[in-house]
Amino acid sequence: MPDNLMEKVVALCKRRGFVYPGSEIYGGLANTWDYGPYGSALKKNVKDLWWKHFVEDKDDMVGLDAAILMNPKTWEASGHIASFTDPLIDCKKCNTRHRGDKLLEEKIGVEKAAIVKLDAIQGTLMDEQIPCPDCKAVDWTEAKTFNLMFKTQQGVVEGSQDEVYLRPETAQGIFVNFKNIIDTCRVRVPFGIGQIGKAFRNEITPGNFTFRTREFEQMEIEYFVHPDQKKEKYEEWKAESKIFFTEKLGVKTENLRFREHDSDELSHYSAMTFDVEYRFPFGKTDAVETWGELQGLADRGDYDLAQHEKFSGKNLKYRDPHTNEVYLPHVIEPSFGCDRTVLTVLIDAYHEEKLEDDSERVVMKFKPSLAPVQVAVFPLLKNKEVLISKARAVHQQLKPHFRTEWDDNGNVGKRYRRQDEIGTPFCITVDFDSLENESVTVRDRDTMLQERVKIEALEAYLATKFN
Ligand code: GAP
């Protein structure tokens, strides 16, 4: 792992148009990030792969795109109004706010921190001499609970009856549509509903680039099963999650792990949760790494459907067409963070290599099917019209089939360096020989080897490379 990997990835993201600080010309807005041309392409590819793998390719899955604003009763039923809280403490010296549980976790570990009750957080911080991260004083207020949901007003008249929340998870849009989908889509339990969309949480301590932000995207599945089938299906989803990260996204297996939640760590709705975690380089040197949650895999039981039945007064039970059994299905929930997945792909792809001439290159080794640009096309020289028109024709030929980019800036060496940092798997150069024999050089990003390929054979040659 290169030194200061995180800083290098953040710098590359800005330099090469993956991720910019939000609202930068106005001095920014803390912890907001905008995906630039290459970042938005990468994010779209992650979402498309996820949707294809988990929704389109499966016979027992359907998709949904529900509204962000929901009837506030949803959040009473889901338990978010009562329980979606973090313990907040203030530093009495510098008045900054922090998450008491996170400060404890860093000092005494996740397991011990999880059993410290709200009213014991202040005392434990003092006993353990845990200082304020900002001013280093050890002088804390009592911990208070802080609800993480963003509130806003709907309509033109302000008043508490118009208050609505920005959804803190996409999941509830799925639960409130369970009956609609059962009634209209010929689905039978076991089946799942997948959804990709924005969620909002007023996090007390956002940070680590796009890892923890207040506005983020989730890719969630609620999979409805008969309680007797739950164990078997849970294991299947665990295997599916691994396939997605390692085979579909190409994340290195040694950088991933599954971790089961302790009972004190569980969310208010969950009977069992495994997290898929990635080895993030959140320290300043390669010696420091932090396993961070990429995906949760929760057993939500029948909690949500039962709560929505109670609060809406609607019958949400399912009648099995074969056995006529009437019951509330249980739910297995694989819930992925989209921005964290993109961050993982960026970190995992970052490589520094020493070249034969002792220079260094930075190369983003994205899985070719995921790369924002798949093929870059260059004319050898940028001021030779015959080369330019031939190269333009090659570019037009490939554009309908691959994500392509035209590049005629600087010399070919500089173009390679830039495309390596964008992670483009193949660079095609049109040179003087191309005019004679209708062939081009194709340079492989990872091996840097060049092959001569006939122009008419390019699509077939490249098609084998993007599985
Ligand atoms: N519906 C279940 C649910 O929302 P969660 O563990 O709170 O579960 C699921 O969130 C995923 O969403 C996490 O694994 C993480 O990848 C992502 N996520 C949660 N909070 C986030 C934040 N503040 N910023 C970025 N991603 C976040």
Side-chain angles (χ1 to χ4, degrees), residues 93-226:
K93 186 155 175 236
C94 70
N95 296 322
T96 52
R97 298 219 140 145
H98 303 271
R99 268 182 68 173
D101 56 336
K102 288 287 160 204
L103 290 179
L104 285 178
E105 277 173 19
E106 280 162 24
K107 181 76 190 281
I108 63 176
V110 174
E111 275 134 55
K112 282 194 185 155
I115 51 176
V116 178
K117 300 266 177 281
L118 185 74
D119 57 6
I121 289 180
Q122 182 193 28
T124 316
L125 286 167
M126 299 303 225
D127 292 348
E128 296 286 338
Q129 285 292 297
I130 298 175
C132 166
D134 291 306
C135 75
K136 309 295 172 220
V138 185
D139 198 0
W140 296 107
T141 59
E142 272 185 28
K144 292 178 288 208
T145 52
F146 171 73
N147 196 297
L148 300 184
M149 280 197 294
F150 273 100
K151 235 185 240 174
T152 187
Q153 295 293 134
Q154 173 160 278
V156 290
V157 185
E158 289 201 8
S160 61
Q161 69 274 36
D162 304 308
E163 263 175 10
V164 288
Y165 298 93
L166 302 187
R167 66 182 176 196
E169 60 171 8
T170 65
Q172 298 304 324
I174 297 180
F175 295 124
V176 302
N177 280 292
F178 172 72
K179 194 171 153 37
N180 277 336
I181 290 176
I182 289 276
D183 289 347
T184 57
C185 295
R186 297 182 176 176
V187 286
R188 295 214 176 132
V189 173
F191 80 99
I193 303 172
Q195 172 166 230
I196 299 177
K198 291 259 180 174
F200 302 83
R201 297 181 188 176
N202 202 357
E203 300 279 4
I204 300 167
T205 47
N208 284 327
F209 197 30
T210 56
F211 181 82
R212 191 181 306 284
T213 49
R214 295 189 170 112
E215 170 186 347
F216 56 97
E217 224 164 336
Q218 292 187 315
M219 308 182 288
E220 294 204 290
I221 294 163
E222 307 304 323
Y223 194 79
F224 300 92
V225 287
H226 189 282

Side-chain angles (χ1 to χ4, degrees), residues 159-420:
S160 61
Q161 69 274 36
D162 304 308
E163 263 175 10
V164 288
Y165 298 93
L166 302 187
R167 66 182 176 196
E169 60 171 8
T170 65
Q172 298 304 324
I174 297 180
F175 295 124
V176 302
N177 280 292
F178 172 72
K179 194 171 153 37
N180 277 336
I181 290 176
I182 289 276
D183 289 347
T184 57
C185 295
R186 297 182 176 176
V187 286
R188 295 214 176 132
V189 173
F191 80 99
I193 303 172
Q195 172 166 230
I196 299 177
K198 291 259 180 174
F200 302 83
R201 297 181 188 176
N202 202 357
E203 300 279 4
I204 300 167
T205 47
N208 284 327
F209 197 30
T210 56
F211 181 82
R212 191 181 306 284
T213 49
R214 295 189 170 112
E215 170 186 347
F216 56 97
E217 224 164 336
Q218 292 187 315
M219 308 182 288
E220 294 204 290
I221 294 163
E222 307 304 323
Y223 194 79
F224 300 92
V225 287
H226 189 282
D228 293 348
Q229 267 190 311
K230 200 160 58 170
K231 235 177 152 181
E232 171 202 332
K233 290 289 173 191
Y234 192 92
E235 290 308 313
E236 282 178 27
W237 278 108
K238 219 167 148 185
E240 283 289 341
S241 304
K242 197 160 180 198
I243 290 172
F244 177 68
F245 285 115
T246 57
E247 292 178 25
K248 300 288 162 184
L249 301 184
V251 177
K252 295 180 200 82
T253 316
E254 65 268 24
N255 290 336
L256 290 169
R257 72 173 188 191
F258 276 95
R259 189 181 66 81
E260 185 169 7
H261 279 204
D262 294 317
S263 55
D264 298 73
E265 223 185 315
L266 290 171
S267 305
H268 58 274
Y269 50 74
S270 177
M272 169 169 75
T273 295
F274 269 90
D275 282 346
V276 179
E277 296 184 334
Y278 181 74
R279 196 197 294 268
F280 284 99
F282 285 150
K284 285 218 177 287
T285 69
D286 63 348
V288 183
E289 60 197 31
T290 322
W291 290 98
E293 178 188 340
L294 268 185
Q295 181 213 329
L297 179 59
D299 166 4
R300 290 182 84 124
D302 63 1
Y303 174 84
D304 300 273
L305 290 182
Q307 288 290 100
H308 286 303
E309 246 197 351
K310 195 165 126 194
F311 280 75
S312 70
K314 299 283 185 312
N315 179 1
L316 300 181
K317 293 190 183 62
Y318 173 75
R319 176 186 292 276
D320 186 295
H322 299 298
T323 64
N324 273 330
E325 184 186 350
V326 176
Y327 64 97
L328 274 182
H330 280 217
V331 170
I332 297 164
E333 180 193 61
S335 171
F336 298 73
C338 180
D339 304 86
R340 283 187 193 178
T341 304
V342 173
L343 180 59
T344 295
V345 166
L346 284 163
I347 293 168
D348 219 63
Y350 185 96
H351 284 77
E352 289 174 351
E353 288 177 2
K354 262 237 163 336
L355 301 178
E356 273 174 11
D357 64 0
D358 240 22
S359 64
E360 246 192 22
R361 74 165 181 152
V362 171
V363 51
M364 297 298 277
K365 293 191 176 178
F366 298 124
K367 198 172 156 42
S369 53
L370 204 59
V373 177
Q374 293 177 307
V375 184
V377 180
F378 317 153
L380 179 67
L381 302 172
K382 67 173 174 189
N383 44 13
K384 268 272 175 259
E385 196 42 50
V386 276
L387 293 179
I388 291 171
S389 59
K390 189 86 188 159
R392 286 271 183 212
V394 171
H395 184 224
Q396 288 309 314
Q397 173 188 332
L398 297 178
K399 221 172 157 50
H401 309 287
F402 307 100
R403 293 185 291 277
T404 59
E405 185 172 274
W406 171 262
D407 194 351
D408 62 2
N409 281 300
N411 60 34
V412 171
K414 276 203 179 125
R415 294 177 208 161
Y416 283 155
R417 288 296 89 83
R418 178 170 172 275
Q419 294 297 338
D420 284 347

